[in-house]
Amino acid sequence: MMRGFRFLLRPRSLFTHMVALLIAAVLMGKLGSWTVSLDDRAAAVRRTHVEEMLLRVAATTRVMASLPAEHRANALSALGTTETRFMLEDKPAVRADYVGSDPQQVEAARARLRDLLGLEEGQVRLKIWYRSENADPGFLHNPWAAIDPVAMGMKFAIQLPDGQWLNAINRRMVQPTVWSTTATLGLISSILMVAAAAFYISRRISRPLRQLADSADRLGRGETVTILDAGRGPEEVRRVTHAFNAMGERIRRFVDDRTRILAAVSHDLRTPITNLRLRVELLEEGETKARMLETLDELRSTVEATLSFTREELGEEAVRADLTSLVESVCDDFTDVGRPVAFSPAARLPVVCRTGSLRRAVRNLIENALAYGGDAQVSVRVVGPHAEIVVSDHGPGIPEAEMERVFEPFVRLESSRNRRTGGVGLGLSIARSVIRGHGGDVRLVNRSDGGLDAIAMLPITARPLHDSLPLKKAA
């Protein structure tokens, strides 16, 4: 029960939002109409009481008129109650000129009693009063006060055929009925109808929106997303779906064109670099030749790294894989050739990724740690809905002001990086590009005890791995 209340008090989905809002609207509407009707309900209860008293007094008058005078006193004592007293007197108990606070009500009651008894104008007198400020409410008043009991009084004077007056007085606390079983059933049926309508509307809207959100998430991770059906849901949802399909197609074309151009440029640069190297080899030995060969080697490494990256990006589909096995296999590749890389075992973590690109990103982070820290400790951990690959080294670290700049292409920090062993400055840039393409990010953190942590964050897929085999070493 409490869980159901929390479900409505803190709605999360579109359906719960709509149900909560519509139920609140129904309750507020019912409350408003019920509050407005309180005065009418109280007035109806008082009118009913007046009608009951008129019928009772009329019946008593007929009985008294039919009885001999000597038997009337005994009959009256039997007809009286704690709320109503009857008396036979020679004079009327109500003045002939009495009007009261509500002349229309008094005149209507007097006319009703005359009709019931068939008497003339002067033979029936009536007085009605209330001891409550809410009995006769004005335009500006507290409607909730109408549910309070009202002290109601009525006095009658009816002339009998022999000239005597039957006087009667009634005092009663009238309690208005403010709620009923019918009102409860009506409220419950209204809420059920609102919930059913909200369920239908939210399902019609939320289903395509849920598909849209899932496709947007997959597109952000670099997965291939099929074209969504733009003919479902309301017009606004259809427009959003159509815009998403167009956006996804433009992004795919843009990324594919950019990657192909980059691959083509990198491929075309290999031939002139090779020709330049052949020409440099013909030069005489010396410092100039050595520097030129070093520059050509650096340029060739840059082209090869770029070409290798673009080849992996082109045509590779995202699949479900075990992140722990993938990272462990990359670490095994380094340990097999004697590099000081240690991996901390962890549980299986399902992710959706392009395995070739992700392996390159992890490899770049490890190579960065080996080049500038001498060793690498690799671990995989879970932080909320994300998995983190942590690559730690015992190097000199990076100044805080340079943390973001090192991710720019071809940037190497000369104060802490060796130009001969530091590569071409694309490792961290490629790693971050790959990880961001999977919906994550890479950040660097200097440890207080010295060294640097490179942390790659990836979203964990909600879909299980089922029986998919863990990844082994790279070929």
Side-chain angles (χ1 to χ4, degrees):
M1 180 66 71
M2 292 302 296
R3 184 177 181 181
F5 281 118
R6 289 195 297 269
F7 176 78
L8 291 176
L9 291 176
R10 308 181 87 179
R12 299 179 61 185
S13 66
L14 179 63
F15 170 66
T16 54
H17 271 89
M18 292 188 65
V19 169
L21 290 174
L22 290 177
I23 288 179
V26 169
L27 292 177
M28 292 299 294
K30 289 285 186 180
L31 178 63
S33 61
W34 177 71
T35 302
V36 170
S37 67
L38 286 178
D39 292 329
D40 293 336
R41 290 175 180 271
V45 170
R46 293 194 294 270
R47 287 194 299 269
T48 301
H49 175 61
V50 170
E51 179 66 17
E52 291 176 355
M53 284 304 304
L54 292 177
L55 294 175
R56 184 177 179 185
V57 170
T60 303
T61 302
R62 294 190 189 97
V63 171
M64 292 299 103
S66 63
L67 290 176
E70 61 272 16
H71 298 300
R72 290 175 179 174
N74 293 332
L76 283 180
S77 62
L79 293 173
T81 64
T82 57
E83 295 179 348
T84 306
R85 291 188 300 113
F86 292 98
M87 298 158 290
L88 283 172
E89 297 176 339
D90 295 332
K91 294 181 179 181
V94 181
R95 302 192 317 268
D97 58 349
Y98 175 77
V99 177
S101 61
D102 191 349
Q104 292 183 351
Q105 184 186 24
V106 173
E107 181 57 34
R110 188 184 295 122
R112 170 68 172 157
L113 189 56
R114 287 200 307 269
D115 292 340
L116 291 173
L117 296 173
L119 299 177
E120 298 297 330
E121 176 75 24
Q123 294 178 300
V124 176
R125 300 180 184 183
L126 176 64
K127 179 179 180 181
I128 302 175
W129 73 92
Y130 308 99
R131 291 186 178 178
S132 172
E133 62 180 6
N134 298 296
D136 187 17
F139 181 75
L140 296 176
H141 70 288
N142 179 17
W144 291 87
I147 66 177
D148 296 334
V150 176
M152 186 173 179
M154 299 180 67
K155 188 178 287 187
F156 302 87
I158 300 98
Q159 189 177 28
L160 299 176
D162 60 358
Q164 274 193 310
W165 288 85
L166 175 64
N167 296 322
I169 183 169
N170 171 267
R171 291 187 178 91
R172 182 181 178 184
M173 294 295 295
V174 179
Q175 175 66 57
T177 302
V178 297
W179 198 255
S180 64
T181 303
T182 304
T184 302
L185 294 177
L187 179 61
I188 293 175
S189 62
S190 298
I191 291 177
L192 292 178
M193 292 179 64
V194 165
F199 177 77
Y200 172 76
I201 296 173
S202 63
R203 290 280 293 179
R204 180 172 170 80
I205 297 176
S206 64
R207 182 175 295 177
L209 288 180
R210 193 179 300 113
Q211 294 177 348
L212 182 63
D214 181 64
S215 297
D217 183 58
R218 292 171 56 198
L219 181 64
R221 293 198 301 264
E223 299 182 49
T224 301
V225 179
T226 57
I227 300 298
L228 298 179
D229 184 6
R232 300 177 58 183
E235 179 63 26
E236 292 79 5
V237 176
R238 295 181 185 180
R239 292 178 60 187
V240 171
T241 304
H242 180 74
F244 174 80
N245 289 335
M247 179 193 69
E249 184 62 28
R250 286 194 294 267
I251 290 177
R252 282 191 292 269
R253 286 200 306 265
F254 171 76
V255 173
D256 290 345
D257 292 345
R258 186 200 65 172
T259 306
R260 287 191 180 93
I261 291 173
L262 188 59
V265 171
S266 300
H267 182 272
D268 292 344
L269 285 175
R270 298 173 69 182
T271 299
I273 291 174
T274 302
N275 292 335
L276 283 174
R277 184 174 182 84
L278 291 175
R279 293 177 182 274
V280 171
E281 290 288 352
L282 298 176
L283 298 177
E284 296 181 359
E285 297 294 334
E287 183 179 356
T288 301
K289 179 180 178 179
R291 290 184 177 180
M292 293 177 66
L293 289 175
E294 181 181 344
T295 301
L296 288 173
D297 287 338
E298 183 177 347
L299 184 58
R300 181 184 56 80
S301 298
T302 301
V303 171
E304 292 295 335
T306 304
L307 187 58
S308 176
F309 171 68
T310 53
R311 282 174 176 172
E312 290 176 355
E313 287 291 307
L314 281 173
E316 185 178 12
E317 295 291 337
V319 296
R320 286 178 296 151
D322 177 22
L323 179 64
T324 302
S325 298
L326 186 147
V327 175
E328 184 179 11
S329 67
V330 176
C331 294
D332 290 343
D333 291 341
F334 284 96
T335 57
D336 287 347
V337 294
R339 305 299 297 275
V341 176
F343 177 76
S344 300
R348 289 162 57 98
L349 289 175
V351 294
V352 176
C353 65
R354 297 183 297 279
T355 55
S357 298
L358 187 57
R359 289 175 63 85
R360 168 173 285 276
V362 175
R363 188 183 304 115
N364 286 355
L365 295 178
I366 295 176
E367 288 177 346
N368 191 74
L370 292 174
Y372 309 117
D375 62 350
Q377 289 78 41
V378 185
S379 61
V380 178
R381 64 191 184 191
V382 177
V383 180
H386 299 91
E388 290 187 350
I389 306 169
V390 183
V391 180
S392 305
D393 63 42
H394 292 87
I398 297 176
E400 294 294 335
E402 303 291 341
M403 284 292 187
E404 286 299 317
R405 199 169 73 88
V406 295
F407 286 104
E408 298 176 6
F410 311 110
V411 171
R412 290 170 296 188
L413 302 182
E414 298 300 332
S415 60
S416 60
R417 304 306 193 192
N418 189 310
R419 184 176 181 85
R420 293 182 177 274
T421 60
V424 296
L426 286 177
L428 290 179
S429 179
I430 291 177
R432 172 173 274 190
S433 176
V434 170
I435 297 299
R436 284 183 171 177
H438 286 79
D441 203 358
V442 178
R443 70 180 189 275
L444 304 177
V445 179
N446 287 317
R447 295 198 309 276
S448 58
D449 58 345
L452 183 73
D453 285 345
I455 304 174
M457 179 190 69
L458 289 169
I460 301 175
T461 179
R463 291 172 289 178
L465 286 173
H466 300 297
D467 298 327
S468 28
L469 296 175
L471 297 175
K472 298 299 183 181
K473 293 182 185 179

